[in-house]
Amino acid sequence: MIRSVVGYEIPLSTDGYGNYDINNSIRVGKALERFRLAWFEDMLSWEMMDQVKILTESLETPTATGEDIYLKEEFRKLCDNHVVDILHPDIGTSGGIMESKKIGDYAEEKGVAMQCTIPVLLSIYGRSALRCSHPELPCS
């Protein structure tokens, strides 16, 4: 319903909050593909990297995770194994602007896009320091 109102010019995404199992994640993801979402976020907990990778490989819609991850080390594992298509760190919880920049630099090196969650007060500073996968959008 939302897509029919806003059209395809406005990117939409969805967040599953890590509450699905792998089979239902794939089922829901495939059902939503016709809406051409910008990304499909956290259908599974990021710690289940093997299952998240299966989900990523099963869908045309890009997958994203990262708001609950602290520091670069876990993001490195996501990048090195191409677990998701888009890293989605929260600058407020990932270690700050500089740590998020390190995460972004590493992701870029590995060919993984990044779209940050930036608290409102940090948005001006964060936008100047980080690249977002959809620069025409405000970082969420």
Side-chain angles (χ1 to χ4, degrees), residues 11-15 17 38-39 41-42 64-68 86-94 100 114-124 126-127 130-140:
L12 296 174
S13 62
T14 187
D15 191 328
Y17 307 104
W39 65 78
E41 181 181 350
D42 291 332
T65 195
E67 289 176 316
D68 299 327
I86 302 170
L87 296 184
H88 198 266
D90 183 322
I91 289 177
T93 59
S94 66
S100 296
M114 188 168 96
Q115 180 67 36
C116 292
T117 295
I118 301 177
V120 175
L121 294 175
L122 294 176
S123 64
I124 295 170
R127 290 297 247 151
L130 302 168
R131 295 179 191 89
C132 291
S133 62
H134 294 285
E136 70 279 2
L137 294 177
C139 292
S140 52

Side-chain angles (χ1 to χ4, degrees), residues 75-101:
F75 286 102
R76 288 177 62 119
K77 294 176 193 174
L78 292 170
C79 291
D80 290 345
N81 298 302
H82 199 86
V83 175
V84 292
D85 300 301
I86 302 170
L87 296 184
H88 198 266
D90 183 322
I91 289 177
T93 59
S94 66
I97 292 174
M98 287 309 298
E99 188 70 12
S100 296
K101 176 152 181 19

Side-chain angles (χ1 to χ4, degrees), residues 22-72:
I22 184 66
N23 294 325
N24 283 313
S25 293
I26 292 171
R27 188 174 297 117
V28 170
K30 288 193 177 291
L32 293 176
E33 283 185 336
R34 66 188 174 112
F35 299 109
R36 307 300 301 162
L37 297 175
W39 65 78
F40 198 51
E41 181 181 350
D42 291 332
M43 295 307 286
L44 299 160
S45 174
W46 69 269
E47 292 101 336
M48 299 186 300
M49 290 188 197
D50 291 342
Q51 290 184 24
V52 176
K53 184 174 176 73
I54 291 169
L55 177 64
T56 298
E57 292 170 346
S58 299
L59 301 177
E60 290 180 29
T61 303
T63 57
T65 195
E67 289 176 316
D68 299 327
I69 302 174
Y70 181 65
L71 300 178
K72 185 172 90 173

